[in-house]
Amino acid sequence: MNQPLFEVIKPGLLTTIQDLGRYGYQQYGIVAAGAMDSYAMRMANVLVGNDLNEGVLEATMLGPSLLCLHDAVIAICGGDLSPMVNGSPAPLWKSFLIKKGETLTFHAPKNGARAYISVSGGFDVPRVLGSKSTYLKAQLGGYNGRELQKGDILSGSGEMSKKNIGRSLHPQLIPIYEKNITVRVVLGPHEHMFTEKGIETFLTATYTVTPQSDRMGYRLSGAKIEHVRTADIISDAVPLGGIQVPSSGEPIILMADRQTTGGYTRIGTIISVDLPKVAQLLPKSTIRFQKVSVEEAQQYALQEAKLFKIFTLANI
């Protein structure tokens, strides 16, 4: 039987339910959505004994206040938004028991932009087209297709397992979220549409995350990237982490709520293992780009997949 777990006292700045995304439907114009920081989201699930793709709460910059209605095993991963239980600091990257009547709150962000709150058994929301992820613009998935609001009741969808209490990550597996980062990119597919000077600018300049950045994309300000002629292409499918360069010459990093197709040149794509670092950037943070090969990107992805497999098996 599903149990009411939390009442939303304050919703925070933007709190939604997200999993790894709604894949297989972009050809029909349906946005993938999903967690911005998939690493933190998956680790939060591992710590409470869930499937890696179970839905969690994604809190942005200012987290929610949640009144616990029934004992629950939870974990909070990702950015440090100063979580507290009844006014005492709550652990990060570690599963713990929150008891009926206690209140989980968040305060000023210390580092990172997004925190992920998992609960043992998962949250009771329907899977829409195979995913619990919320896509706000289409009011699709999650909790009634929207962000959390005051008075919402979040229920659990499965049995809570107390054997998961106290799981934690080795310190080497806990990311350090920095304000100034370098991320690795695979150049293309429209590399030929930029001048040599444009490519050099892209790989040597420092760009700043603007306040106009959101779950759809990060707009960057900085040195202009020079095109050979035009920034326009015939619209084609766009990937997570793709970097568009419109006629302004300033790049846009496509994130979880990106459109399904785009008509601007893409100079490169951020490798999957580096995207969580981007997801945790706040406005005014800076970013630089470093070229790697497809083969190198694949090796980094395989190493991360192996890490999750080992860690999941070790905690069964």
Side-chain angles (χ1 to χ4, degrees):
M1 180 178 177
N2 296 337
Q3 289 275 6
L5 294 181
F6 297 104
E7 178 183 353
V8 179
I9 306 303
K10 294 180 180 179
L13 184 63
L14 175 64
T15 307
T16 59
I17 291 179
Q18 302 291 344
D19 55 23
L20 289 177
R22 187 168 287 104
Y23 287 92
Y25 299 96
Q26 287 179 263
Q27 61 188 324
Y28 306 113
I30 296 174
V31 168
M36 290 279 279
D37 180 347
S38 63
Y39 181 89
M41 171 251 163
R42 287 178 289 170
M43 282 301 186
N45 274 320
V46 169
L47 290 172
V48 297
N50 290 346
D51 181 86
L52 291 178
N53 193 32
E54 183 53 66
V56 305
L57 295 180
E58 179 184 86
T60 304
M61 294 178 64
L62 179 64
S65 296
L66 304 173
L67 173 64
C68 187
L69 304 176
H70 192 275
D71 288 3
V73 177
I74 70 172
I76 306 169
C77 295
D80 185 352
L81 308 186
S82 303
M84 293 189 174
V85 174
N86 279 9
S88 297
L92 289 166
W93 304 95
K94 182 178 182 178
S95 59
F96 63 95
L97 179 69
I98 183 169
K99 296 181 179 180
K100 180 180 178 180
E102 293 183 327
T103 302
L104 174 66
T105 58
F106 293 82
H107 302 274
K110 293 181 179 178
N111 60 69
R114 292 175 171 84
Y116 294 84
I117 309 157
S118 63
V119 60
S120 179
F123 290 102
D124 182 26
V125 296
R127 294 189 185 275
V128 179
L129 299 176
S131 172
K132 292 184 178 182
S133 283
T134 310
Y135 178 50
L136 294 172
K137 290 184 179 180
Q139 298 182 343
L140 190 67
Y143 191 98
N144 296 329
R146 58 170 171 77
E147 67 270 33
L148 296 189
Q149 297 177 3
K150 181 180 179 180
D152 288 344
I153 302 295
L154 297 169
S155 296
S157 64
E159 291 293 326
M160 177 187 73
S161 176
K162 289 191 176 182
K163 74 175 184 179
N164 300 311
I165 296 174
R167 288 184 179 179
S168 61
L169 288 188
H170 189 284
Q172 290 182 344
L173 300 180
I174 298 176
I176 298 174
Y177 300 123
E178 299 176 338
K179 295 181 179 179
N180 307 299
I181 66 171
T182 297
V183 297
R184 293 161 290 190
V185 299
V186 175
L187 291 181
H190 306 123
E191 184 180 358
H192 62 285
M193 297 185 69
F194 298 90
T195 63
E196 288 187 14
K197 179 183 176 182
I199 298 292
E200 181 182 2
T201 298
F202 172 65
L203 294 174
T204 58
T206 298
Y207 290 93
T208 301
V209 179
T210 71
Q212 289 71 43
S213 302
D214 56 19
R215 280 182 48 88
M216 184 176 182
Y218 279 26
R219 290 184 175 272
L220 308 180
S221 64
K224 306 297 189 290
I225 299 171
E226 187 178 77
H227 293 86
V228 173
R229 284 183 295 182
T230 179
D232 298 324
I233 60 168
I234 297 173
S235 292
D236 64 0
V238 294
L240 179 61
I243 305 169
Q244 289 184 329
V245 184
S247 56
S248 68
E250 294 182 308
I252 302 169
I253 302 173
L254 302 172
M255 299 300 287
D257 284 357
R258 66 200 177 278
Q259 70 276 26
T260 56
T261 62
Y264 292 132
T265 47
R266 293 196 311 281
I267 196 168
T269 302
I270 297 172
I271 69 173
S272 60
V273 299
D274 282 356
L275 280 170
K277 294 194 296 184
V278 180
Q280 293 291 350
L281 291 177
L282 291 165
K284 298 185 179 180
S285 300
T286 67
I287 185 168
R288 293 174 63 90
F289 300 103
Q290 176 186 337
K291 176 184 174 182
V292 296
S293 68
V294 172
E295 291 74 20
E296 288 174 308
Q298 290 171 336
Q299 284 301 313
Y300 294 131
L302 287 171
Q303 289 170 11
E304 184 181 85
K306 184 178 180 180
L307 168 68
F308 273 100
K309 184 176 181 180
I310 292 172
F311 187 63
T312 303
L313 290 174
N315 283 279
I316 291 177

